[in-house]
Short mmCIF file of all heavy atoms in Angstrom, two decimals:
data_model
loop_
_atom_site.label_atom_id
_atom_site.label_comp_id
_atom_site.label_asym_id
_atom_site.label_seq_id
_atom_site.Cartn_x
_atom_site.Cartn_y
_atom_site.Cartn_z
N GLU A 290 -11.03 -49.71 -29.02
CA GLU A 290 -12.47 -49.52 -28.82
C GLU A 290 -12.73 -48.28 -27.95
O GLU A 290 -13.62 -47.48 -28.23
CB GLU A 290 -13.03 -50.77 -28.12
CG GLU A 290 -14.53 -50.86 -28.04
CD GLU A 290 -15.18 -51.20 -29.37
OE1 GLU A 290 -14.75 -52.17 -30.01
OE2 GLU A 290 -16.12 -50.47 -29.76
N ALA A 291 -11.90 -48.12 -26.90
CA ALA A 291 -12.08 -46.98 -26.00
C ALA A 291 -11.80 -45.68 -26.75
O ALA A 291 -12.51 -44.68 -26.57
CB ALA A 291 -11.15 -47.12 -24.79
N THR A 293 -12.15 -45.20 -29.92
CA THR A 293 -13.28 -44.97 -30.84
C THR A 293 -14.41 -44.28 -30.09
O THR A 293 -15.02 -43.33 -30.59
CB THR A 293 -13.78 -46.32 -31.42
OG1 THR A 293 -12.67 -46.96 -32.03
CG2 THR A 293 -14.88 -46.11 -32.44
N ASN A 294 -14.67 -44.71 -28.86
CA ASN A 294 -15.70 -44.06 -28.05
C ASN A 294 -15.34 -42.62 -27.74
O ASN A 294 -16.22 -41.75 -27.69
CB ASN A 294 -15.92 -44.82 -26.74
CG ASN A 294 -16.89 -45.96 -26.92
OD1 ASN A 294 -17.52 -46.11 -27.97
ND2 ASN A 294 -17.03 -46.78 -25.88
N VAL A 295 -14.05 -42.37 -27.52
CA VAL A 295 -13.61 -41.00 -27.22
C VAL A 295 -14.00 -40.10 -28.39
O VAL A 295 -14.58 -39.02 -28.19
CB VAL A 295 -12.09 -40.94 -26.95
CG1 VAL A 295 -11.61 -39.50 -26.87
CG2 VAL A 295 -11.75 -41.66 -25.65
N LYS A 297 -16.28 -40.70 -30.71
CA LYS A 297 -17.72 -40.70 -30.99
C LYS A 297 -18.53 -39.92 -29.95
O LYS A 297 -19.50 -39.26 -30.27
CB LYS A 297 -18.25 -42.15 -31.01
CG LYS A 297 -18.25 -42.76 -32.40
CD LYS A 297 -18.57 -44.24 -32.34
CE LYS A 297 -19.99 -44.56 -31.96
NZ LYS A 297 -20.24 -46.02 -31.97
N HIS A 298 -18.14 -40.04 -28.68
CA HIS A 298 -19.04 -39.55 -27.62
C HIS A 298 -18.48 -38.47 -26.70
O HIS A 298 -19.25 -37.79 -26.04
CB HIS A 298 -19.48 -40.71 -26.72
CG HIS A 298 -19.98 -41.91 -27.44
ND1 HIS A 298 -21.14 -41.91 -28.16
CD2 HIS A 298 -19.47 -43.17 -27.55
CE1 HIS A 298 -21.34 -43.12 -28.67
NE2 HIS A 298 -20.34 -43.89 -28.34
N GLY A 336 -25.05 -49.63 -27.22
CA GLY A 336 -23.92 -50.13 -27.99
C GLY A 336 -23.32 -51.43 -27.50
O GLY A 336 -23.74 -52.00 -26.49
N TRP A 337 -22.30 -51.83 -28.22
CA TRP A 337 -21.59 -53.07 -27.91
C TRP A 337 -20.21 -52.81 -27.35
O TRP A 337 -19.57 -53.69 -26.80
CB TRP A 337 -21.44 -53.91 -29.18
CG TRP A 337 -22.73 -54.49 -29.65
CD1 TRP A 337 -23.53 -54.00 -30.64
CD2 TRP A 337 -23.39 -55.64 -29.13
NE1 TRP A 337 -24.64 -54.78 -30.78
CE2 TRP A 337 -24.58 -55.80 -29.86
CE3 TRP A 337 -23.08 -56.54 -28.11
CZ2 TRP A 337 -25.47 -56.83 -29.62
CZ3 TRP A 337 -23.99 -57.57 -27.88
CH2 TRP A 337 -25.15 -57.71 -28.62
N GLY A 338 -19.72 -51.57 -27.54
CA GLY A 338 -18.33 -51.27 -27.23
C GLY A 338 -17.93 -51.61 -25.80
O GLY A 338 -16.98 -52.36 -25.58
N LEU A 339 -18.66 -51.06 -24.83
CA LEU A 339 -18.28 -51.26 -23.43
C LEU A 339 -18.41 -52.73 -23.05
O LEU A 339 -17.58 -53.28 -22.32
CB LEU A 339 -19.16 -50.40 -22.51
CG LEU A 339 -19.01 -48.89 -22.69
CD1 LEU A 339 -19.99 -48.14 -21.80
CD2 LEU A 339 -17.59 -48.45 -22.37
N MET A 342 -15.51 -54.61 -24.52
CA MET A 342 -14.27 -54.37 -23.76
C MET A 342 -14.26 -55.24 -22.50
O MET A 342 -13.27 -55.88 -22.18
CB MET A 342 -14.21 -52.90 -23.32
CG MET A 342 -13.82 -51.96 -24.42
SD MET A 342 -13.59 -50.31 -23.73
CE MET A 342 -14.80 -49.41 -24.62
MG1 MG B 402 -18.58 -47.67 -28.76
#
Side-chain angles (χ1 to χ4, degrees):
E290 190 74 50
T293 305
N294 275 352
V295 171
K297 267 171 70 178
H298 311 293
W337 289 99
L339 296 176
M342 284 187 240

